[in-house]
């Protein structure tokens, strides 16, 4: 509802000279509902044409406009690219409104960047390889070379997909 109106009327009522109360009166007018009209995806890299399939997206022409659907589709596109090794993808969008016909046109822009590939990965112990948590249990961690090397079972030169990057990111945080 892009043409909604919300009005607030505040009235003070004097019951006696010592007693005052306030009335808050809200008026909400939804206005006309907007619908999705068109959407387009513009990609900086022409080789990306197979990554985004319209069937995977939820923006549907004629459907009531919902900003959550747009946000979910943007996240879906970002995940698709990251899962194909484009870990630094940037996805932006613009919603253009047709206020006379109550339509929303969504333009999505994808800057994929380059695919991230595995390079050399080595680690060495900087402190004792085991430590204990607050409950006294032995924990693996960044000082445990076996554990650290096991994070990456990706061969040198292979594309790192978003799931592998996410696991490493999560453990390092």
């Amino acid at each position: 509802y892009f043409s909604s109106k919300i009005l607030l009327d505040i009235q003070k009522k004097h019951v006696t000279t010592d007693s005052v109360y306030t009335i808050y009166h809200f008026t909400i007018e939804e206005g006309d509902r907007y619908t999705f009209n068109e959407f387009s995806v513009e990609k900086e890299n022409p080789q990306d044409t197979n990554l985004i399939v319209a069937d995977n997206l939820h923006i549907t022409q004629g459907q009531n406009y919902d900003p959550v659907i747009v946000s979910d589709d943007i996240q879906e596109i970002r995940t698709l690219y990251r899962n194909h090794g484009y870990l630094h993808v940037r996805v932006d969008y613009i919603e253009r409104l047709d206020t006379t016909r109550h339509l929303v046109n969504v333009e999505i822009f994808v800057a994929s960047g380059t695919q991230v590939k595995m390079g050399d990965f080595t680690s060495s112990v900087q402190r004792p390889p085991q430590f204990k948590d607050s409950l006294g249990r032995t924990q693996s961690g960044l000082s445990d070379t076996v554990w650290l090397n096991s994070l990456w079972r990706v061969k040198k030169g292979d594309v790192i997909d978003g799931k592998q990057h996410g696991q490493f990111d999560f453990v390092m945080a």
Side-chain angles (χ1 to χ4, degrees), residues 53-118:
V53 179
D55 295 343
N56 295 343
L57 304 180
H58 300 95
I59 298 173
T60 305
Q61 188 174 14
Q63 177 184 8
N64 286 336
Y65 168 78
D66 184 348
V68 173
I69 291 174
V70 176
S71 178
D72 288 348
D73 279 354
I74 296 301
Q75 186 58 40
E76 178 69 24
I77 292 169
R78 193 174 287 120
T79 300
L80 282 168
Y81 271 82
R82 286 186 176 155
N83 287 346
H84 284 86
Y86 296 97
L87 303 184
H88 307 290
V89 64
R90 196 179 77 244
V91 183
D92 298 310
Y93 68 96
I94 295 175
E95 295 170 336
R96 298 194 188 276
L97 305 180
D98 179 341
T99 56
T100 56
R101 298 183 313 168
H102 306 289
L103 299 173
V104 180
N105 296 314
V106 179
E107 297 174 23
I108 301 171
F109 305 95
V110 180
S112 60
T114 58
Q115 279 186 321
V116 176
K117 296 190 179 195
M118 186 62 166

